[in-house]
Amino acid sequence: FADFAKTAFPEFEVRRLSPDHAVFKTLFDLNGAAVVLHGMDIGCRTSMFFSPVDLSCLWEQGDIPVKSEAAFKLGANIAAYATGAMPLPDRLDAARLVRDGEAATSQESPPRGALHIAQLMHNGDWRPFPKTVPNLADYLHQNLGVDVVRQYVPLRPTDPAFSQHPIVYMTGSTSFALSAEEAAALKQHLERGGLLLADACCGHKPFDTSFRELVKQLFPDQPFERLTADHPILSGSPGIAIGDVQYFAAVQEQQPDLKQPWLEGVTLEGRTVLVYSKFGLGSGVSDSTCYGCLGVAPADALKIAGNVVLYGLSH
């Protein structure tokens, strides 16, 4: 299995999960220090689990004293983690089939002048949810009348093509840092009219900490502050007025009174050039469910991201 993992996913590491990993407490509170379970993190979550200790035999026999019960609890925890502790679709629910015309839309040539959203590459996990940009493009096209290319464009700030993309999206869950050259190129792009939309994937603190350091590096003399309700992005000028928003359950558990959107930004000469959400937007936009995700629910995440794009194109 170790050889397979290295061959299939050379850029990711299989490692023993730490005792505080969420999989040890999704349903049953297990002693993570005593459980030997390995995993591979892709984006905001562990996407592959490997047990070097036989679990299937303990499940099959089902009655091995102490060990079978522990194995069943671990298996149940893994299943709950994989589904985000949400119920699976009912077998009798109607399935939605993709029509041929829908499947072909992503292959069609984009109209002349269509927007290409760039995704900023950095030395952390810069693309945890691959569907974020395509889903946002679909929303912009279908609901806000913006011609957008569905395929994301991965770029570093120092790439010569970076200046051709007025809207740049940035995310991640781990710590990161931009080189001095990359930070200077990003700052120049924003000062010349670009806009950066960033969010902490599932609200992960390491990215949040690194991003706040980046803002200080980019604009040391400018306030990085929460957007007020009358800001065009929240009032929907242009776009859709955003009032109360819905957060995922993990946010509601920690901050039950939080109903308003929480966006922070940097404004230069009356134009907001950087918009940041410490609560994940990408998980909602991509409609991906992660256990313990500190993020904004899909419908409101799309509205917020859509308004940011419209603001960037009109200011």
Side-chain angles (χ1 to χ4, degrees):
F1 181 84
D3 290 341
F4 159 74
K6 289 179 182 178
T7 302
F9 305 97
E11 67 273 38
F12 300 109
E13 177 187 5
V14 177
R15 58 178 177 79
R16 181 171 178 175
L17 301 182
S18 62
D20 60 351
H21 192 285
V23 76
F24 298 126
K25 53 181 181 290
T26 50
L27 284 180
F28 300 100
D29 193 0
L30 306 178
N31 180 7
V35 180
V36 180
L37 188 64
H38 294 219
M40 176 185 291
D41 290 345
I42 300 178
C44 287
R45 65 179 190 147
T46 302
S47 300
M48 180 187 293
F49 290 99
F50 168 68
S51 175
V53 178
D54 191 348
L55 292 176
S56 59
C57 180
L58 296 172
W59 294 337
E60 177 72 20
Q61 298 298 321
D63 58 358
I64 307 299
V66 181
K67 291 186 176 181
S68 282
E69 181 181 1
F72 277 124
K73 287 182 177 179
L74 178 57
N77 275 22
I78 292 172
Y81 180 90
T83 61
M86 298 292 286
L88 294 171
D90 191 283
R91 289 185 302 169
L92 300 181
D93 286 348
R96 180 182 182 276
L97 302 180
V98 177
R99 297 187 297 272
D100 290 342
E102 291 180 80
T105 55
S106 63
Q107 305 299 324
E108 296 175 356
S109 298
R112 186 180 182 87
L115 172 68
H116 287 69
I117 298 176
Q119 184 150 359
L120 192 146
M121 301 171 67
H122 53 80
N123 61 2
D125 60 330
W126 59 272
R127 192 186 176 217
F129 293 118
K131 295 197 302 180
T132 299
V133 171
N135 282 9
L136 176 57
D138 287 342
Y139 173 81
L140 288 165
H141 178 70
Q142 297 169 8
N143 296 276
L144 300 178
V146 180
D147 286 323
V148 188
V149 179
R150 294 187 79 251
Q151 187 175 13
Y152 79 103
V153 183
L155 292 172
R156 293 190 178 278
T158 50
D159 192 302
F162 196 73
S163 62
Q164 301 171 17
H165 302 273
I167 307 298
V168 179
Y169 174 60
M170 180 180 185
T171 188
S173 63
T174 62
S175 300
F176 73 92
L178 298 186
S179 67
E181 184 182 8
E182 290 174 327
L186 177 58
K187 180 179 181 180
Q188 184 182 63
H189 181 62
L190 300 181
E191 290 175 338
R192 288 182 172 181
L195 183 143
L196 175 67
L197 168 62
D199 73 316
C201 173
C202 292
H204 280 279
K205 201 64 180 177
F207 181 89
D208 180 79
T209 300
S210 293
F211 188 81
R212 293 182 187 281
E213 290 299 320
L214 174 62
V215 174
K216 293 178 183 178
Q217 183 182 1
L218 295 175
F219 305 107
D221 300 323
Q222 299 296 328
F224 182 41
E225 54 192 3
R226 187 176 177 183
L227 304 188
T228 57
D230 59 352
H231 191 283
I233 290 174
L234 297 179
S235 65
S237 305
I240 300 172
I242 299 173
D244 288 353
V245 301
Q246 183 178 358
Y247 292 92
F248 285 129
V251 179
Q252 297 173 3
E253 291 173 4
Q254 293 186 13
Q255 298 180 245
D257 296 330
L258 181 61
K259 306 294 183 184
Q260 296 295 316
W262 191 291
L263 297 178
E264 297 169 87
V266 172
T267 299
L268 301 178
E269 298 180 353
R271 181 178 69 90
T272 301
V273 301
L274 181 154
V275 180
Y276 174 66
S277 174
K278 66 178 182 179
F279 298 108
L281 296 174
S283 51
V285 171
S286 62
D287 199 15
S288 299
T289 302
C290 295
Y291 179 81
C293 178
L294 299 176
V296 183
D300 290 318
L302 283 166
K303 290 177 184 177
I304 291 171
N307 277 15
V308 172
V309 172
L310 288 182
Y311 177 86
L313 294 177
S314 59
H315 287 75

